[in-house]
Amino acid sequence: MERDAPFEPYGDFVADCPARLAVDLFAHAWLPVVVFALKDGPMRPGALRQSIGGVSQKVLTQTLRRMERWGLVRRHRYAEAPPRVEYELTAAGQDLLVPIRALGEWAYRHADMVLAASSDQASAQGRAG
């Protein structure tokens, strides 16, 4: 399928549409964060968690397992004592950096406006309630 080709035969966001899969990936809040944290190369889970901040060990483990199942990261286990594990992005995971960076650029340009509008809406609801 060509890059600029329409999403035929899928239609607009039907269940098996690749675009819907992409949107579903971003529905997992920590997935884009983990992808971005791994952008410079393999990391051990402890270092990854420390670089991200705010993510629990359980949620990070679940996210990494999901990403491994989906082919976005590769897990390397080294036969050492104590055992060492590292995660690195696959080619598909590296490709996710393109929309993640684009979304980050959008947020940089529009975050203040979105936050102000949200704050205005919350204030208006507080006055109405």
Side-chain angles (χ1 to χ4, degrees):
M1 176 183 256
E2 291 182 34
R3 213 168 183 52
D4 294 327
F7 290 123
E8 297 173 15
Y10 299 99
D12 294 334
F13 290 98
V14 295
D16 61 348
C17 177
R20 186 164 164 185
L21 167 69
V23 171
D24 288 347
L25 287 175
F26 281 84
H28 296 279
W30 289 104
L31 190 143
V33 176
V34 173
V35 169
F36 195 78
L38 289 169
K39 72 184 182 314
D40 294 324
M43 291 181 79
R44 296 177 72 173
L48 185 57
R49 183 172 176 231
Q50 188 174 18
S51 74
I52 293 171
V55 64
S56 70
Q57 185 62 49
K58 177 183 176 184
V59 170
L60 179 59
T61 299
Q62 290 171 339
T63 302
L64 287 166
R65 286 180 182 162
R66 180 179 299 120
M67 291 173 69
E68 188 177 12
R69 277 193 315 272
W70 290 346
L72 302 175
V73 296
R74 194 172 299 111
R75 181 179 186 263
H76 298 283
R77 181 181 165 99
Y78 297 91
E80 301 174 350
R84 179 170 57 107
V85 174
E86 289 183 336
Y87 288 89
E88 72 175 325
L89 295 174
T90 62
Q94 285 283 341
D95 280 351
L96 262 180
L97 288 166
V98 174
I100 290 170
R101 284 189 172 113
L103 189 58
E105 290 169 11
W106 179 90
Y108 183 79
R109 287 191 309 270
H110 300 288
D112 290 341
M113 182 273 308
V114 171
L115 291 172
S118 177
S119 178
D120 291 346
Q121 182 68 26
S123 295
Q125 287 177 349
R127 287 189 302 268

